[in-house]
């Protein structure tokens, strides 16, 4: 979702920086946080600040970050180019659309609305549904179960190396997009890479999704 269908990765990183400043933690370089966006907060907070995410300052940081993101950034986020048109193509081809994200459930609803795609998604799995966030495969296992399919019958559309790793560990192939900010080398485990949803749609018939349809 984040970075793939809505341009939110930079906003998540900036919200973490601002939250750290507000709760009195060391403020790391923006780039250190940005490269970890795509992991859940349960992974990112210990890695950057060296503290657990579910207690004390870590829990406070997570809460304040969420508030900042929802209040300051979310209202201005835009869908990535071609996001809705691509999902409409998926729907027309009879593909089942399930979101697999490390975002919290309350944030996912708002993200889907901002991206203008809430009516196209048939189900979703969030941080609330799993014990360990990406790049652990839990979120993908949950998505597979909700879809009622085998992993080999599914394709993951993602934008981070953590998406690729999580999907691979769950036995799901990934089609990646560069609009989340990662290079082709970072996304090397994907079976195909496109600039953004619009680029994928423009070459849809030759893509793994077109072949699946």
């Amino acid at each position: 979702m984040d970075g793939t269908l809505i341009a939110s990765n930079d906003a998540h990183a900036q919200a973490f920086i601002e939250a750290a400043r507000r709760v009195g933690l060391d403020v790391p370089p923006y780039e250190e946080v940005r490269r970890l966006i795509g992991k859940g907060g349960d992974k990112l907070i210990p890695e950057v600040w060296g503290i657990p995410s579910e207690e004390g300052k870590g829990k406070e940081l997570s809460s304040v970050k969420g508030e900042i993101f929802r209040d300051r950034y979310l209202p201005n986020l835009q869908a990535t180019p071609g996001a809705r048109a691509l999902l409409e193509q998926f729907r027309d081809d009879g593909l089942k659309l399930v979101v697999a994200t490390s975002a919290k459930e309350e944030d996912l609803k708002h993200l889907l609305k901002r991206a203008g795609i809430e009516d196209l998604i048939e189900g979703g799995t969030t941080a609330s549904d799993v014990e360990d966030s990406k790049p652990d495969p839990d979120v993908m296992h949950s998505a597979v179960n909700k879809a009622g399919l085998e992993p080999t019958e599914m394709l993951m559309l993602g934008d981070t190396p953590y998406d690729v790793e999580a999907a691979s560990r769950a036995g799901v192939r990934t089609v990646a997009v560069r609009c989340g900010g990662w290079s082709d080398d970072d996304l090397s485990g994907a079976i195909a890479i496109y600039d953004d949803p619009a680029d994928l749609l423009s070459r849809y018939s030759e893509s793994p999704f077109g072949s699946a349809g």
Side-chain angles (χ1 to χ4, degrees):
M1 183 68 207
D2 285 295
T4 304
L5 300 174
I6 190 166
S8 56
N9 287 345
D10 291 347
H12 279 295
Q14 192 59 48
F16 267 116
I17 295 294
E18 293 176 25
R21 185 178 294 113
R22 185 178 296 181
V23 303
L25 290 170
D26 290 339
V27 178
Y30 170 83
E31 293 76 13
E32 181 181 350
V33 178
R34 179 60 176 81
R35 69 180 178 81
L36 297 176
I37 297 299
K39 292 186 176 185
D42 62 315
K43 298 287 198 309
L44 187 151
I45 290 173
E47 191 164 340
V48 175
W49 285 277
I51 56 177
S53 63
E54 298 300 326
E55 59 185 59
K57 280 288 187 179
K59 185 175 182 179
E60 184 182 3
L61 173 64
S62 179
S63 177
V64 172
K65 181 267 176 181
E67 293 173 5
I68 291 172
F69 178 77
R70 287 187 291 273
D71 295 344
R72 185 173 303 177
Y73 293 102
L74 185 55
N76 299 312
L77 295 179
Q78 301 295 319
T80 53
R84 182 174 178 87
L86 179 61
L87 294 196
E88 288 176 334
Q89 181 67 63
F90 289 163
R91 179 196 60 190
D92 293 346
D93 278 357
L95 302 182
K96 184 175 291 188
L97 306 182
V98 177
V99 172
T101 178
S102 293
K104 296 180 179 179
E105 186 173 357
E106 59 187 303
D107 290 336
L108 177 59
K109 294 177 182 178
H110 295 298
L111 288 166
L112 291 171
K113 186 173 183 179
R114 281 301 307 167
I117 58 174
E118 68 270 29
D119 58 314
L120 300 174
I121 301 299
E122 298 178 43
T125 181
T126 68
S128 305
D129 300 315
V130 299
E131 184 173 344
D132 293 304
S133 65
K134 292 181 289 187
D136 281 306
D138 297 24
V139 69
M140 290 304 303
H141 288 312
S142 180
V144 169
N145 289 336
K146 288 193 175 187
L149 299 170
E150 295 297 322
T152 54
E153 298 177 290
M154 299 184 70
L155 288 170
M156 166 78 157
L157 179 64
D159 68 292
T160 76
Y162 316 117
D163 292 329
V164 177
E165 181 179 347
S168 177
R169 291 169 66 181
V172 176
R173 296 164 296 159
T174 301
V175 175
V177 287
R178 303 180 182 97
C179 51
W182 273 266
S183 70
D184 287 13
D185 286 343
D186 295 326
L187 303 169
S188 61
I191 60 173
I193 305 175
Y194 301 89
D195 288 340
D196 51 34
D199 181 35
L200 170 53
L201 185 59
S202 72
R203 295 187 278 165
Y204 187 78
S205 63
E206 302 171 357
S207 76
F209 288 103
S211 301

